[in-house]
Amino acid sequence: MSGGGEPGDDAGSAGGSDPVDGDPDPVDEDPDSVDGDPDLAPEESSRVPKVVAAGHINWDVTIHVAQLPEPDGETRIERLEQSGGGSAANVAAGLVDLGGQSVVYGSVGGDESGALALRELASAGVDPGQVLVDADEATSVKYVIVDGGGELLMLANDGANESFTAVGLDRDTLAAADHLHLTGQQPETAAALATAAGEAGTTRSFDPGRRVGDREFDAALHATDVLFLNDREADSLADSTDIDPWEPEDRVVAIKLGREGATIRTPHGDVSHPGFDVDPVDTTGAGDAFAAGFLGAALRGPEIVDGGFSHDPRDYQVPLLVGNACGAIAAETVTARADLSWDRVRETMGESPESDLLIEVRV
């Protein structure tokens, strides 16, 4: 299992890809091209990725019920949890869990919920020093209602989570980072941050979330190296822009397929994996955990990121496996903020997960 674009998104359809018209037939790579027992835990001497995650920082109230009530109905609350949330904050915390360094950039209100969100991020090892506190707005609070099957609905206010702008991020912080990960935010902010990162030589990824078809994200989309989408968002983007996520021409696209895993699309081919069999209790944040796992693995590989993200699909076998494992861990976690670790990733993978990889290379 993998997850959706913003916390709470779930997805579901799948597959490899057909060769582009006029291209040679795809090459089906031997699934055993990944080591039989991939050494996922990084060596102590390996690079430690430094990431700025920019976007939403929320406070989540997660309510578990046996089933959602009918209109005018009532149901019993079986469990209630409060925790930090928001796509940028979730990815930043996940990267730290996997041994990376994270700075989160976004905005919260000058209220108790904002203070709690920042305190929790700091406790998780994320640097919240760049976060804007907007005293005139309330922190965005999301009420996530989860039924007995792990399906959910969400109630939210925008609050202060898009009060920040690109000019508020310290340029030295951005220049010192290896990577900028963008999530939901004002389109002009995303575009300006992506441009600044490009000027600093920093690689960029973008997970625009469920509003990708409704907001003018074109500039930010074209400025990013890696896009994270679920299948519905990928279809929406293909319909509303000149970018076809299923057959990208100049970037890498990670398409999350919910219970059916994920597929990584590149200009030179694809690699897909069906995910890991879990019993979901709450899919909130599963897509953010996937992004954290994918980036946490990919950014450590010089063959992937030196000189920009590789377009060889074979380079994304391990990042895809790690992303799917992290998404599965999050789906088994009650709140949007899963505790990720390399030990949990290996445990979730089990024996020889690479045997299910489907790799197609277009020459």
Side-chain angles (χ1 to χ4, degrees):
M1 172 155 187
S2 168
E6 283 189 347
D9 280 356
D10 203 5
S13 80
S17 70
D18 296 323
V20 178
D21 290 343
D23 283 351
D25 290 337
V27 178
D28 291 331
E29 286 290 318
D30 182 356
D32 292 330
S33 57
V34 175
D35 292 339
D37 183 17
D39 185 11
L40 300 171
E43 299 290 339
E44 289 185 7
S45 59
S46 69
R47 67 171 73 187
V48 176
K50 300 177 182 179
V51 178
V52 175
H56 291 175
I57 304 168
N58 304 329
W59 188 249
D60 287 354
V61 179
T62 304
I63 301 168
H64 282 253
V65 299
Q67 61 184 27
L68 300 175
E70 297 294 331
D72 241 1
E74 182 176 320
T75 192
R76 177 185 176 84
I77 296 175
E78 297 187 341
R79 182 172 182 176
L80 188 149
E81 299 277 349
Q82 297 191 51
S83 65
S87 45
N90 293 340
V91 172
L95 284 164
V96 170
D97 286 345
L98 296 173
Q101 297 179 6
S102 295
V103 176
V104 66
Y105 181 57
S107 44
V108 298
D111 51 17
E112 182 180 4
S113 295
L116 289 170
L118 295 181
R119 190 179 308 148
E120 187 173 78
L121 284 167
S123 296
V126 175
D127 180 355
Q130 296 289 312
V131 175
L132 168 71
V133 178
D134 185 346
D136 296 327
E137 292 283 353
T139 298
S140 177
V141 177
K142 286 198 174 182
Y143 295 87
V144 185
I145 305 174
V146 187
D147 70 12
E151 298 302 320
L152 52 87
L153 65 81
M154 304 179 75
L155 307 172
N157 65 313
D158 288 335
N161 65 5
E162 293 190 357
S163 295
F164 69 100
T165 65
V167 297
L169 178 60
D170 177 62
R171 288 303 184 266
D172 290 339
T173 298
L174 186 57
D178 299 303
H179 187 77
L180 170 69
H181 179 66
L182 301 168
T183 69
Q185 55 196 278
Q186 292 290 335
E188 58 270 22
T189 302
L193 287 172
T195 298
E199 292 171 350
T202 302
T203 54
R204 298 150 291 182
S205 57
F206 189 16
D207 190 339
R210 63 174 63 89
R211 298 178 66 184
V212 65
D214 302 325
R215 307 186 85 170
E216 298 294 330
F217 280 133
D218 294 52
L221 291 167
H222 281 285
T224 53
D225 305 292
V226 182
L227 291 178
F228 292 94
L229 306 162
N230 64 30
D231 58 343
R232 295 188 305 275
E233 294 159 359
D235 289 340
S236 176
L237 193 64
D239 290 340
S240 61
T241 73
D242 60 353
I243 295 174
D244 183 355
W246 299 99
E247 293 185 357
E249 296 180 353
D250 55 0
R251 72 197 71 248
V252 176
V253 184
I255 302 178
K256 299 162 286 185
L257 303 169
R259 293 179 181 273
E260 297 182 31
T263 178
I264 310 302
R265 303 288 172 132
T266 82
H268 296 158
D270 324 307
V271 56
S272 303
H273 184 263
F276 300 100
D277 188 19
V278 297
D279 293 322
V281 298
D282 183 350
T283 57
T284 315
D288 300 329
F290 175 92
F294 180 92
L295 292 173
L299 292 173
R300 292 181 181 274
E303 73 281 2
I304 298 178
V305 296
D306 282 0
F309 274 79
S310 166
H311 286 176
D312 187 338
R314 292 166 293 194
D315 289 336
Y316 295 102
Q317 295 169 94
V318 169
L320 172 58
L321 291 169
V322 175
N324 272 345
C326 290
I329 292 168
E332 293 184 305
T333 302
V334 171
T335 65
R337 193 71 55 77
D339 290 328
L340 305 177
S341 70
W342 292 107
D343 286 341
R344 292 193 71 184
V345 166
R346 283 195 299 268
E347 180 182 350
T348 300
M349 284 186 177
E351 296 293 329
S352 300
E354 68 279 2
S355 64
D356 290 326
L357 283 166
L358 175 63
I359 306 165
E360 296 182 1
V361 180
R362 288 187 294 273
V363 180

